Amino acid sequence: MYLDYYIMGIILLPALIFASYAQFKVNSTYNKYSVLFNSSNITAGELVKRLLGANGMNYISVTTTPGKLTDHFNPRTNQICLSQEVYSSSSVAALGVACHELGHAMQAKEHYGPYTFRKILIPISNIASTLLWPLVILGLIFNFGVASGGVAGNVMLWSGIGFFGIAVLLNLATLPVEYNASNRAISMLRAEGILTEEELSGTKKVLNAAALTYVAALVVSVMNLLRFLIVIFARRRDD
């Protein structure tokens, strides 16, 4: 137990602090540029609809979704879901967020490799997450520790490694998908000539801050896997 707390302190805690900073950064940057409105006075919802038509993607609809920064592209329903604040706003932050989600829709249309790979990983990660905790609970009920060896211990050990490993792989696959969507957003906005260079700079800062949260998620997942491996194998060595 003390080893677990020690490892958590020196490995996981800094990663969690970094993740908290990344979340603070994206919120503060978005709030700053959500009050800087584009000189063309076009809303994010209007712009995305225009760009969908220009790219022959009228089969995709644009709708609103509750919450703040809950914007996403749903490939199952072919919908770009924008938070109400983004949809009706003409801020440079809103335009960047909306075009980022349009970037994901374009990735799906083009069968962009990293996007397709990530899409495959998501249900696998969900299944692994669902199966891991029943194994842990059963181990506790029957007093099977992963450090004790045996069939039950080995099943729990490799299940844990597999779960955390998939989480790392999923977060790693997410990075090129998100950065590519942001690059597409900036390219579209520059090509449309809607934003001035100063406004475009603000949009970049918003998207870069958002990307930092995905870097933080990767760091946390890697540290979780490392922590799990160190604790388990240290306990097995001591037994």
Side-chain angles (χ1 to χ4, degrees), residues 2-222:
Y2 293 111
L3 175 62
D4 197 8
Y5 289 146
Y6 177 72
I7 296 298
M8 182 182 294
I10 64 173
I11 291 182
L12 192 55
L13 186 58
L16 294 175
I17 292 173
F18 175 48
S20 297
Y21 167 75
Q23 193 60 51
F24 165 78
K25 184 68 175 177
V26 70
N27 286 327
S28 60
T29 306
Y30 176 82
N31 290 337
K32 178 180 179 179
Y33 290 101
S34 65
V35 293
L36 175 61
F37 302 101
N38 72 82
S39 52
S40 301
N41 201 34
I42 186 172
T43 66
E46 292 170 342
L47 177 60
V48 169
K49 290 176 183 177
R50 179 202 293 183
L51 291 173
L52 283 170
N55 287 277
M57 299 170 66
N58 288 321
Y59 59 91
I60 293 178
S61 61
V62 184
T63 186
T64 58
T65 188
K68 181 178 179 179
L69 294 179
T70 50
D71 313 85
H72 62 280
F73 167 63
N74 188 333
R76 293 187 302 275
T77 59
N78 278 326
Q79 287 182 317
I80 293 177
C81 305
L82 302 177
S83 58
Q84 185 62 54
E85 180 180 351
V86 166
Y87 182 88
S88 58
S89 175
S90 59
S91 73
V92 300
L95 264 60
V97 169
C99 286
H100 176 92
E101 300 310 327
L102 175 55
H104 286 312
M106 289 178 169
Q107 290 171 342
K109 177 187 177 183
E110 298 169 7
H111 303 289
Y112 177 62
Y115 177 87
T116 302
F117 180 56
R118 181 181 180 275
K119 188 177 177 180
I120 294 171
L121 282 177
I122 289 175
I124 297 174
S125 177
N126 291 338
I127 292 171
S129 177
T130 301
L131 293 178
L132 174 66
W133 299 115
L135 287 171
V136 172
I137 292 171
L138 285 173
L140 293 173
I141 291 175
F142 293 103
N143 199 28
F144 290 137
V146 293
S148 63
V151 175
N154 284 326
V155 167
M156 290 177 61
L157 171 63
W158 291 109
S159 296
I161 292 174
F163 168 72
F164 289 117
I166 291 171
V168 170
L169 189 58
L170 178 59
N171 284 312
L172 184 61
T174 295
L175 287 184
V177 174
E178 296 300 329
Y179 276 103
N180 178 263
S182 291
N183 289 336
R184 289 172 186 257
I186 295 300
S187 296
M188 284 186 283
L189 288 168
R190 178 174 282 116
E192 286 294 305
I194 292 173
L195 302 181
T196 65
E197 282 303 315
E198 180 183 357
E199 292 168 347
L200 194 61
S201 175
T203 300
K204 288 180 181 177
K205 290 177 182 178
V206 171
L207 295 179
N208 286 339
L212 190 63
T213 63
Y214 296 103
V215 175
L218 174 60
V219 171
V220 170
S221 64
V222 169

